[in-house]
Amino acid sequence: MEDLLHMSALIQLRIDGELHELEVLPNATLLDVLRDEVGKKGTHMGCRTGHCGACTVMIDGKVAKSCITLAASLPRATITTIEGLQQDGEMGPIQQAFWDEAGLQCGYCAPGILLSTAELLADNHQPSAAEVDQALAGNLCRCTGYQSIKRAVHSACVRMYPDQETGIEEG
Amino acid sequence: MSLYPMYARPRSVEEAVGLLAGLSSGAVVVAGGQELMPAVNSGTLMPEVFIDVAGIEALRGIDFNEGVLSIGALTVHRELQGNALVGEHLPLLANSASQVGGGWQVHNRGTIGGNIVAMHPLYDIAPSLLALEVELEIADESGVRTTAFADVLTDTRHGLGSDSLLVRVLARPQPSGSCWGYQKFKSTGGAYGSANAAAIVQLDGQSLSAVRLVVGAAAEKLEVIDLSHIVGKPWSEDVGRTIEAACREAISQPLSDQQGDAEWRRAMAGVVARRAVQQAINSQREEGAA
């Protein structure tokens, strides 16, 4: 049994396209590793309880709250942070849409909300207003009142899929 | 034992239960971590060993054999929502999994096994599982046993005990011709429920021929509500009031917390219960009309 117990875990993460081999402590969260070991400070620490969603990243294409994800439990995974949404050093379509529609005010929640938007729009090219609400249910914003965020999601959808009609009402 | 926590990633159920048997109660099983990690972050839980079961294949997958749906303990809420077998045979479970709080982030990582083992009175999936009368496959060093979910429900929030591992959830399909309802009463979108209720109803013409009703989030333990006295009656406002009264009576020690104070919780338990039964009946009528 003793040989199954380890003081740390070795994990391989492809983070925003770059491969990292990391040795992590048993109780380290993915958030700690991203910010402190890899320097991905775009991923924000909010509540550490899983309520606010500011720390949201994608793990293998699916959103997760990195503050309540045990890093050791990801022996091999692909991670996308807010920094991975840029394209060739410019803002990607989702980022540009949030910028243009003022889908953020203080911006603390924005990294998480953009990642949740990214997962929604990856699979669903014509989300309804209800589907947008569902996709963003795990992210809190205390500034915008969410209306400009919904406009931004609509705008991002139009940029990414110009030939599709979206079901989101224009604000 | 070291002052610092240690980590183990067993590759089989046997390895995992061997570890659990050999370690003190300071060892915790971690799957999705959605229940565990907030407590670790806040310091209210300081595990000596994290036993990460995510690498155990036997805990994964959903299959349907000889009339029993077998759901691996590592199945996440998002899979329960989208899996074709669950959608066909256990729509009540698929629906309650979609109402778990925390958004897609939690649905993508939180597992059915963690949800059960946490025994948290406010969680969404347990009332449906109790209404469906599921059984649990639980392993320890002496082997695997199958136990009714109802028999392991405790109000201690200590789950299955420190030496057992939940392997799979076994469910029979919802009875053919039955209808179902799940209602969650919550103060804000992502919040815990203040009361929730799962109902499986069978109708004989207009009359209620069987009702299985479970109320959660109103007391430390789930309550199965005895509704034998309304069987045989058609739905009416009076029957609705009878259901509310039966719930108020059954919830003798309501919770009183951030989700609402005791008397209000007791009252809301009755309201969600009535609505769940009504939802079930209405869905049947719509199906009949379609």
Side-chain angles (χ1 to χ4, degrees):
Chain A
M1 184 186 85
E2 288 297 318
D3 58 342
L4 289 172
L5 297 177
H6 305 285
M7 301 290 290
S8 62
L10 284 171
I11 62 174
Q12 284 187 337
L13 301 180
R14 184 169 292 281
I15 304 168
D16 299 334
E18 200 175 292
L19 190 65
H20 294 262
E21 294 203 0
L22 300 155
E23 186 177 1
V24 299
L25 289 172
N27 56 358
T29 64
L30 177 60
L31 173 72
D32 295 335
V33 170
L34 288 173
R35 287 184 59 89
D36 301 340
E37 307 292 323
V38 188
K40 293 281 182 183
K41 305 276 186 180
T43 304
H44 289 168
M45 194 275 273
C47 61
R48 294 183 80 88
T49 63
H51 283 92
C52 80
C55 68
T56 298
V57 298
M58 272 189 191
I59 302 172
D60 298 326
K62 298 281 181 195
V63 287
K65 290 172 177 172
S66 63
C67 78
I68 53 170
T69 299
L70 193 66
S73 71
L74 301 169
R76 270 175 297 279
T78 300
I79 310 293
T80 307
T81 77
I82 182 68
E83 292 160 56
L85 294 186
Q86 62 180 317
Q87 290 177 352
D88 307 320
E90 302 287 325
M91 286 196 280
I94 297 174
Q95 292 168 310
Q96 191 65 51
F98 273 75
W99 180 264
D100 291 349
E101 296 293 337
L104 55 131
Q105 285 180 28
C106 85
Y108 204 83
C109 69
I113 291 186
L114 270 73
L115 267 302
S116 292
T117 304
E119 183 183 339
L120 171 73
L121 296 183
D123 298 330
N124 189 341
H125 301 182
Q126 294 177 284
S128 66
E131 286 169 331
V132 174
D133 287 351
Q134 196 178 31
L136 300 183
N139 295 86
L140 298 181
C141 171
R142 300 286 87 145
C143 303
T144 61
Y146 301 101
Q147 301 312 310
S148 62
I149 291 174
K150 290 185 198 176
R151 279 198 297 277
V153 174
H154 172 80
S155 163
C157 190
V158 171
R159 282 160 209 262
M160 290 168 73
Y161 310 110
D163 300 331
Q164 303 270 356
E165 295 261 319
T166 82
I168 316 168
E169 300 87 10
E170 277 190 77
Chain B
M1 191 55 64
S2 154
L3 276 173
Y4 297 96
M6 303 189 77
Y7 174 80
R9 192 174 169 89
R11 307 304 302 197
S12 67
V13 171
E14 292 72 27
E15 265 185 15
V17 295
L19 278 164
L20 285 169
L23 294 166
S24 73
S25 59
V28 297
V29 172
V30 54
Q34 305 298 286
E35 159 82 9
L36 192 74
M37 292 308 291
V40 171
N41 287 342
S42 71
T44 51
L45 183 71
M46 285 189 269
E48 290 165 19
V49 182
F50 289 87
I51 301 179
D52 176 3
V53 296
I56 304 177
E57 268 316 301
L59 272 53
R60 291 195 181 277
I62 299 173
D63 53 64
F64 187 51
N65 261 319
E66 294 176 14
V68 176
L69 211 69
S70 168
I71 303 170
L74 288 175
T75 303
V76 298
H77 305 325
R78 204 79 182 276
E79 285 176 272
L80 293 174
Q81 295 162 29
N83 180 274
L85 286 170
V86 176
E88 183 185 347
H89 298 296
L90 305 170
L92 170 61
L93 176 61
N95 180 275
S96 55
S98 74
Q99 300 204 34
V100 170
W104 279 3
Q105 295 97 323
V106 172
H107 297 182
N108 283 336
R109 299 205 61 82
T111 64
I112 188 172
N115 200 284
I116 290 170
V117 170
M119 304 266 171
H120 195 300
L122 304 182
Y123 281 4
D124 284 283
I125 290 183
S128 296
L129 293 175
L130 190 56
L132 293 163
E133 298 178 80
V134 302
E135 295 183 316
L136 306 180
E137 250 181 45
I138 299 168
D140 63 17
E141 253 203 327
S142 59
V144 178
R145 63 186 187 277
T146 303
T147 312
F149 177 46
D151 294 341
V152 299
L153 266 178
T154 68
D155 55 3
T156 62
R157 304 196 195 183
H158 283 177
L160 307 179
S162 60
D163 60 353
S164 295
L165 180 71
L166 177 60
V167 181
R168 303 191 76 82
V169 180
L170 308 176
R172 298 205 171 270
Q174 290 173 220
S176 68
S178 68
C179 46
W180 57 274
Y182 180 72
Q183 291 285 321
K184 174 182 188 178
F185 193 91
K186 56 190 177 178
S187 48
T188 62
Y192 287 129
S194 300
N196 56 35
I200 299 174
V201 177
Q202 282 173 284
L203 292 169
D204 181 10
Q206 294 293 310
S207 306
L208 299 157
S209 58
V211 183
R212 183 158 170 91
L213 175 68
V214 178
V215 169
E220 275 287 342
K221 258 183 90 173
L222 301 177
E223 289 287 346
V224 181
I225 310 296
D226 178 15
L227 292 176
S228 48
H229 49 297
I230 64 164
V231 166
K233 295 182 180 174
W235 175 261
S236 66
E237 280 187 23
D238 213 35
V239 166
R241 278 191 291 273
T242 309
I243 292 173
E244 289 196 36
C247 291
R248 283 199 301 272
E249 182 140 349
I251 310 285
S252 55
Q253 289 182 298
L255 288 169
S256 198
D257 56 27
Q258 289 161 310
Q259 273 37 261
D261 63 22
E263 277 315 302
W264 184 77
R265 295 289 273 285
R266 195 205 301 259
M268 289 307 110
V271 171
V272 291
R274 171 175 54 75
R275 286 181 184 168
V277 174
Q278 249 176 326
Q279 179 192 354
I281 294 169
N282 290 344
S283 71
Q284 188 90 333
R285 286 188 182 148
E286 279 162 25
E287 211 166 277

